[in-house]
Amino acid sequence: KQEVTQIPAALSVPEGENLVLNCSFTDSAIYNLQWFRQDPGKGLTSLLLIQSSQREQTSGRLNASLDKSSGRSTLYIAASQPGDSATYLCAVESNTGKLIFGQGTTLQVKP
Amino acid sequence: DVKVTQSSRYLVKRTGEKVFLECVQDMDHENMFWYRQDPGLGLRLIYFSYDVKMKEKGDIPEGYSVSREKKERFSLILESASTNQTSMYLCASRSRGRRTEAFFGQGTRLTVV
């Protein structure tokens, strides 16, 4: 059974710092991996989708990488801002078409 | 812009009531999903639908049913609401292709008293 783990569960950094969020999965047979952002009490906003054949995707200050063989993905946030404070979730698409989520990393960026 | 709309942001219902949560998407997506999100448990899949009138159980279907009569609308039904169904409910949709993004609604915070 696919399991997705995100470490750390919470992270607090000063504004301007570059940071890395980690996501690991137990079964490397995935179709894609997606990173989401969730603000308190709200739904999920899609940030980046990495297909299984890709190594990385970039959008603005965000860069996500994927290493299927080791079962890992990282989300790199450059020059963090207080507006980046949120919970970040990764999800893998299994061969059944379902999305399996990690528990998320709650990020606080202090001014 | 892509849009998934859930009918209510907040709902308060009584134990034993039949509850309907509605989700509508405007992207002509084939696949639609219902999740619940609880502190410490993350997002858990309740049901998903891969076409009109088609449905498949997720990880926690007990106490729930779904309806998909039209492609754009996916309803989650709590047959007899219980306090342990108090949760945040999230709807998502995605195109049929396996390498496509999933889009989520804004969530419905349901409280059963």
Side-chain angles (χ1 to χ4, degrees), chain B residues 58-100:
Chain B
D59 299 318
I60 51 164
E62 298 79 17
Y64 303 94
S65 62
V66 290
S67 171
R68 189 146 180 225
E69 297 296 318
K70 294 184 178 181
K71 192 175 186 181
E72 68 270 17
R73 186 182 296 270
F74 190 34
S75 302
L76 180 69
I77 303 156
L78 285 65
E79 299 290 343
S80 177
S82 64
T83 54
N84 63 13
Q85 292 178 309
T86 292
S87 185
M88 169 71 99
Y89 289 87
L90 293 161
C91 173
S93 76
R94 196 181 66 204
S95 179
R96 177 166 286 149
R98 282 293 174 85
R99 293 171 172 81
T100 59

Side-chain angles (χ1 to χ4, degrees), chain A residues 9-26:
Chain A
L11 183 63
S12 181
V13 301
E15 183 177 3
E17 194 161 297
N18 302 325
L19 58 101
V20 174
L21 306 181
N22 297 295
C23 173
S24 61
F25 45 95
T26 54

Side-chain angles (χ1 to χ4, degrees), chain A residues 1 30-32 34 36 38 40-49 51-53 89 93-103, chain B residues 9-10 31 33 35 37-38 40-43 45 48 56-59 88 90 94 97-107 109:
Chain A
K1 182 184 172 185
I30 64 170
Y31 282 93
N32 62 47
Q34 196 168 350
F36 295 89
Q38 185 177 32
K42 302 285 180 65
L44 278 65
T45 300
S46 176
L47 296 174
L48 289 164
L49 172 76
Q51 296 178 5
S52 59
S53 58
L89 296 130
E93 180 184 351
S94 69
N95 57 3
T96 60
K98 298 176 185 178
L99 284 178
I100 301 164
F101 283 83
Q103 298 249 1
Chain B
R9 286 293 312 277
Y10 301 96
N31 297 341
F33 306 81
Y35 289 85
Q37 186 178 30
D38 301 286
L41 297 175
L43 273 86
L45 181 64
F48 75 100
E56 198 164 314
K57 292 180 180 179
D59 299 318
M88 169 71 99
L90 293 161
R94 196 181 66 204
R98 282 293 174 85
R99 293 171 172 81
T100 59
E101 274 182 282
F103 296 93
F104 277 78
Q106 76 276 28
R109 169 71 65 184

